Amino acid sequence: MRKIMILAITLSLTVTAVSCKKGADKIGNAVLNLGGEAEANAIIDFNNNFIDSYKNTSKHIDGVLRYADAAVAKAKGEKVLMMPLVLNAMDYTFAKIKEIPSGFKKDKASVEADFIIYKTKKENIEKKFDELKSYINSEDYKDDKGAKAEQIKKELNADADAFFTAGENLMAKIKPATDAAEEVVLKDHPMKEYIISSKNLMNSLDSVIDLLGRQYEGKFNEAEAQKKYDEFAQKVEANSKLDFNVKDPQYSSKKTQFENFNRNASNFLDTYRKLIRDSKEAGKIPNGDIQQIDSSYETVLNSYNSFVR
């Protein structure tokens, strides 16, 4: 169940992973309580860096917990053909977060408190993972019959729970400020219409992923899945019908990326229809289908990020 839960969380990350920061004039404090472009950009930078860190670290932690499960089994004498390969966390953006932006105003202290927990648990997990690898590689489990492996696994699970709780709290707290910051920087942006529409599409996709994550853990509900499909299909159709007509040469080349984003969103619908059909027959969402949805989601997300950068 641990792996399934984290898969669902991982799928739902970074709906607004990259926000557009160009084309803004300075605006006073009266606008959304932000002090203008500089303060808005600081919030957007924090949002982008944190969510990218959270996404990549979540996948890494998923691997660590799978390794811990196998480590306990091996230490207890069960047959484990191969220990899970845990890739290094490609978390290059975490180091870019130097401080909590002042633009969070009254929420800054609360954001900072959750971020400290996030950072601490992230570091704890890495240390305990290294300790567990040393224990397994040296075959120290032959001395204590796996007792240490069980203890480390218990600690890893507790730290992972705290990590994800802090991460979800941060996501919820920084979103309103990020949305406000985007309104500031998009005030006169040549691509405002297309960015807002595309973001709405991604928000709908996030809702789809959240539903499928919950149904993957539990019972497949065709009516709910179809309703979300229809809602997302409407967003894809609306976005695809927009005629990208930006004259500014700085952004006119974005037309190809906008079309690619819409094409990938349409391809996601193909994958989604297959999942609904297969899940209806099986009575649950098959592993292969959720993996295909995950891959298709990543493709849509990456093309969205490329478009708005």
Side-chain angles (χ1 to χ4, degrees), residues 92-108:
Y92 302 120
T93 53
F94 182 75
K96 295 180 180 179
I97 302 176
K98 305 298 184 184
E99 60 183 359
I100 307 301
S102 60
F104 285 114
K105 305 296 182 183
K106 62 182 179 61
D107 294 322
K108 182 182 177 183

Side-chain angles (χ1 to χ4, degrees), residues 187-206:
K187 178 174 177 287
D188 299 313
H189 199 288
M191 294 201 309
K192 179 178 180 179
E193 177 186 9
Y194 311 102
I195 291 173
I196 291 176
S197 178
S198 296
K199 183 180 176 182
N200 288 336
L201 187 157
M202 289 301 296
N203 284 335
S204 178
L205 179 57
D206 180 52

Side-chain angles (χ1 to χ4, degrees), residues 77-306:
E78 296 179 26
K79 187 175 182 180
V80 178
L81 295 178
M82 183 179 296
M83 294 296 292
L85 176 64
V86 182
L87 299 177
N88 292 331
M90 308 300 286
D91 191 3
Y92 302 120
T93 53
F94 182 75
K96 295 180 180 179
I97 302 176
K98 305 298 184 184
E99 60 183 359
I100 307 301
S102 60
F104 285 114
K105 305 296 182 183
K106 62 182 179 61
D107 294 322
K108 182 182 177 183
S110 178
V111 170
E112 190 164 24
D114 279 317
F115 186 74
I116 290 172
I117 295 173
Y118 174 88
K119 179 181 179 181
T120 300
K121 298 306 178 182
K122 173 182 166 73
E123 293 171 349
N124 285 353
I125 289 169
E126 285 307 303
K127 291 177 182 177
K128 288 169 185 172
F129 178 45
D130 287 340
E131 184 179 0
L132 184 58
K133 284 190 295 182
S134 173
Y135 172 82
I136 292 297
N137 292 337
S138 63
E139 298 186 351
D140 287 340
Y141 52 84
K142 293 181 178 179
D143 298 327
D144 68 354
K145 302 187 186 307
K148 186 174 181 179
E150 286 188 311
Q151 180 60 36
I152 294 177
K153 177 185 173 181
K154 182 178 179 180
E155 293 171 356
L156 282 170
N157 282 334
D159 281 339
D161 285 342
F163 171 86
F164 285 112
T165 297
E168 292 303 302
N169 286 343
L170 283 165
M171 293 273 285
K173 290 174 182 177
I174 67 180
K175 187 179 187 302
T178 303
D179 288 343
E182 287 176 339
E183 289 188 37
V184 170
V185 300
L186 285 175
K187 178 174 177 287
D188 299 313
H189 199 288
M191 294 201 309
K192 179 178 180 179
E193 177 186 9
Y194 311 102
I195 291 173
I196 291 176
S197 178
S198 296
K199 183 180 176 182
N200 288 336
L201 187 157
M202 289 301 296
N203 284 335
S204 178
L205 179 57
D206 180 52
S207 181
V208 168
I209 294 303
D210 179 65
L211 174 71
L212 294 182
R214 285 186 279 109
Q215 290 195 359
Y216 179 57
E217 292 184 55
K219 183 178 179 181
F220 176 69
N221 185 314
E222 182 186 1
E224 288 184 351
Q226 186 64 52
K227 181 180 178 182
K228 286 295 181 183
Y229 174 93
D230 294 339
E231 292 172 357
F232 180 62
Q234 289 178 359
K235 297 293 185 182
V236 173
E237 182 180 9
N239 211 51
S240 299
K241 284 183 176 179
L242 291 178
D243 179 23
F244 192 90
N245 187 25
V246 178
K247 302 301 182 183
D248 188 328
Q250 183 179 1
Y251 302 107
S252 58
S253 62
K254 287 286 185 179
K255 180 178 181 179
T256 299
Q257 293 174 338
F258 181 67
E259 292 172 345
N260 185 54
F261 168 60
N262 288 324
R263 182 165 50 253
N264 288 329
S266 180
N267 291 339
F268 182 91
L269 286 171
D270 296 341
T271 305
Y272 195 177
R273 287 198 304 276
K274 179 179 181 298
L275 179 144
I276 292 175
R277 185 182 304 110
D278 292 347
S279 302
K280 180 180 178 181
E281 294 176 358
K284 61 180 182 179
I285 299 179
N287 289 338
D289 285 274
I290 202 71
Q291 290 171 5
Q292 290 175 3
I293 282 287
D294 187 11
S295 177
S296 184
Y297 170 80
E298 288 291 331
T299 300
V300 178
L301 175 63
N302 290 337
S303 58
Y304 170 75
N305 287 345
S306 294

